Amino acid sequence: MRGFLASSIGVATAAALALPLALSTPAPAAPSQGAAAPVAPAGSTQSLLLAPLDPAAERSPGVPGMSTSPRLPETRGLAPREVKRFSLVGVVWDDAGTELFGRVQVRTRAVATGTWSGWQDVETHNGEHAPDLGTRESGSGRVRGSTAPLWVGDSDGVEVRVRAQPGAPADRAGARLPAGMRIELVDPGASGPVTVVDAKNGASGASGASGASGASRAIAASGAADEPEGDDKGDLVALPGMTMETAESSSVNVPLAALGAKEITALDKADTTADAVADSGLTAAARPYIGPRPRIVTRLGWGADESLREPGFVYTSTVKAAFVHHTASGNNYACKDAPAVLRSLYRYHVVSSGWRDLGYNFAVDKCGTVYEGRAGGVAKAVLGAHTMGFNTDSMGVAVIGTYTSTKPPAAAVKAVAQLTAWKLGLFNRDPRAKTTLKSGGGNRFKKGTSVQLNVISGHRDGFATECPGKLLYAQLPPTRTSSAKLQGRP
């Protein structure tokens, strides 16, 4: 059986497959007095095998002592049980190429009250949020099939039931479920508060991370920041108490922010344009349409455990389009919990689903805060795993929540417009325009097909899916207009 957990720091043995498993991240040693505090998100993932819940469904008609009723759709799950604390759930299975035709439901017990929730549905169609077929990431041998994750809050009990859908495709005889199904229970761990850093003027918040100092600017960035496959070459200098993986991730945002910055501060349009012109060497007249840079919480700011992801970064040649998503993880979170939700999504994508990093390039919470997603630099063309078939030459922006029947908050929609006005502007893209991308293969467009898409598209424009939800998708036309206006386009 293929290994079910993969990360850059751990490998599970095959014998553990039948037992509850917790994969924890050890905290680094405490820094010396006065050193920058490291991020120590001691998160974990429990992976529990789902067992048959309906033995009668396996009985064969015509056999003495066995049921003569037709074979029932397969059902698997877990009886109610106490487990270690967790906040996000999802179901995974061995073969990423096998689709789950059925219904997944969970009940959880809240730590604060000790009460059980009602049954909650988990979105089963999640394969379209994935690396492109034929890429190194998709062919790593670690990628597994998965449902969307569901944020349930601080919990210590779980019950699961997964029932195959009657009338599944003919090649799925007897309405069978995928092999190797497991429930993943993700604990996001803890993280320190976000520090405000003025990247332009070098001012900082109370915790004292300075602006882009001479030392951080003089860093010889690793070859991972420049080479498509992200090999580690050259010297990388970390601050005291900072892991090399964290330094690698943080350094690619210099000089937008200092090494170790927990956020990249907002700039007005004039300063944003001036900085972009200085970085590119072009004249101001050549880059007039760049929106103001929004405030962005970095991976260090939301507490990413950089030891989980694969080392180095993978880039695409440019950014021609932005695909808008919802995470389909539910709306039952407070804005203060958004960093924990992100840490959980990150863990689910890497440890449970087998991806190299968080799939989305950016995330936006319901209060409009923008977060750095996949590592590699917020101003760079980082290859994501968000829109199967169209990850090349695009970026993925995920609004945290589910917006099929819930209207997205105005603050979140505004943040998407601000983010796209800036990032698309860096690559000279008009948010109101059309662009052409070549499909890498999917359920809507065959591999190699040239497809005309809006520069700001919904996930469903490139793949047959409900994402980003009906009500968020309806906000894309005004978002294109707002984004172009922020760029200063006539």
Side-chain angles (χ1 to χ4, degrees):
M1 179 181 293
R2 188 170 58 180
F4 68 91
L5 287 177
S7 76
S8 59
I9 60 170
V11 178
T13 64
L17 286 173
L19 299 173
L21 180 73
L23 180 68
S24 298
T25 305
S32 59
Q33 184 70 25
V39 174
S44 65
T45 300
Q46 302 170 72
S47 187
L48 310 178
L49 188 66
L50 300 185
L53 290 183
D54 187 3
E58 299 300 318
R59 296 176 180 174
S60 301
V63 178
M66 294 295 181
S67 172
T68 57
S69 61
R71 181 181 293 273
L72 300 173
E74 184 180 7
T75 304
R76 288 184 171 268
L78 286 178
R81 67 171 65 187
E82 183 173 342
V83 293
K84 295 179 181 179
R85 290 168 73 159
F86 66 96
S87 295
L88 179 141
V89 303
V91 171
V92 300
W93 54 92
D94 292 342
D95 185 4
T98 300
E99 189 172 354
L100 194 168
F101 294 96
R103 187 177 188 183
V104 177
Q105 294 181 299
V106 298
R107 294 175 66 230
T108 56
R109 186 177 66 188
V111 169
T113 64
T115 59
W116 285 85
S117 71
W119 286 105
Q120 301 181 76
D121 285 300
V122 178
E123 173 59 54
T124 58
H125 299 295
N126 191 55
E128 64 273 13
H129 298 82
D132 286 345
L133 299 173
T135 61
R136 178 176 293 186
E137 184 171 4
S138 67
S140 67
R142 298 188 301 272
V143 177
R144 295 198 295 167
S146 62
T147 67
L150 178 67
W151 177 261
V152 295
D154 194 12
S155 305
D156 61 3
V158 66
E159 182 179 6
V160 187
R161 63 187 184 195
V162 182
R163 188 176 180 85
Q165 173 186 327
D171 59 349
R172 298 288 311 284
R176 306 291 293 177
L177 294 170
M181 298 191 73
R182 311 184 72 92
I183 182 76
E184 304 286 289
L185 308 176
V186 181
D187 171 21
S191 178
V194 175
T195 301
V196 177
V197 179
D198 184 340
K200 187 166 184 66
N201 299 315
S204 65
S207 60
S210 65
S213 65
S216 63
R217 288 177 183 272
I219 291 174
S222 71
D226 299 318
E227 298 180 12
E229 297 304 332
D231 295 326
D232 289 329
K233 297 178 182 177
D235 298 322
L236 185 65
V237 179
L239 296 175
M242 177 183 287
T243 67
M244 293 307 293
E245 294 95 341
T246 300
E248 177 190 50
S249 177
S250 181
S251 69
V252 287
N253 284 322
V254 175
L256 275 64
L259 182 70
K262 293 188 175 181
E263 73 169 48
I264 299 168
T265 54
L267 292 180
D268 63 23
K269 190 177 189 307
D271 284 343
T272 299
T273 302
D275 281 6
V277 168
D279 290 343
S280 66
L282 298 177
T283 64
R287 284 288 183 91
Y289 298 127
I290 303 173
R293 187 179 74 201
R295 171 180 175 265
I296 303 172
V297 176
T298 66
R299 290 170 63 90
L300 185 62
W302 56 262
D305 180 352
E306 298 293 353
S307 67
L308 293 180
R309 65 172 175 84
E310 289 188 18
F313 316 112
V314 181
Y315 296 98
T316 184
S317 61
T318 187
V319 176
K320 298 173 69 175
F323 285 98
V324 178
H325 304 257
H326 67 173
T327 60
S329 52
N331 303 312
N332 188 29
Y333 73 95
C335 292
K336 65 180 178 61
D337 297 325
V341 178
L342 263 181
R343 292 195 300 275
S344 298
L345 293 171
Y346 170 46
R347 234 178 203 284
Y348 187 70
H349 284 184
V350 177
V351 177
S352 302
S353 302
W355 303 353
R356 62 172 288 115
D357 194 351
L358 181 68
Y360 308 112
N361 298 103
F362 296 93
V364 176
D365 69 23
K366 63 174 68 174
C367 289
T369 300
V370 177
Y371 301 86
E372 178 183 13
R374 180 166 287 209
V378 296
K380 299 185 178 184
V382 179
L383 180 67
H386 49 84
T387 307
M388 180 186 281
F390 293 100
N391 291 310
T392 299
D393 294 343
S394 72
M395 60 183 273
V397 182
V399 181
I400 301 173
T402 303
Y403 300 105
T404 303
S405 58
T406 299
K407 185 177 180 179
V413 175
K414 179 180 178 181
V416 172
Q418 293 170 328
L419 174 61
T420 53
W422 171 68
K423 184 65 181 277
L424 291 172
L426 295 178
F427 293 87
N428 197 27
R429 308 298 176 191
D430 183 345
R432 302 165 303 186
K434 303 280 188 180
T435 191
T436 300
L437 296 177
K438 182 174 288 187
S439 173
N443 68 357
R444 187 167 182 179
F445 299 102
K446 293 182 179 179
K447 184 175 182 178
T449 304
S450 293
V451 182
Q452 188 178 65
L453 297 160
N454 289 303
V455 168
I456 297 180
S457 286
H459 186 181
R460 63 175 63 183
D461 294 321
F463 203 97
T465 174
E466 289 294 315
C467 184
K470 178 181 178 181
L471 298 186
L472 178 55
Y473 187 76
Q475 293 297 316
L476 295 190
T479 297
R480 297 181 189 110
T481 301
S482 298
S483 183
K485 185 176 181 179
L486 287 166
Q487 288 185 342
R489 293 184 184 272

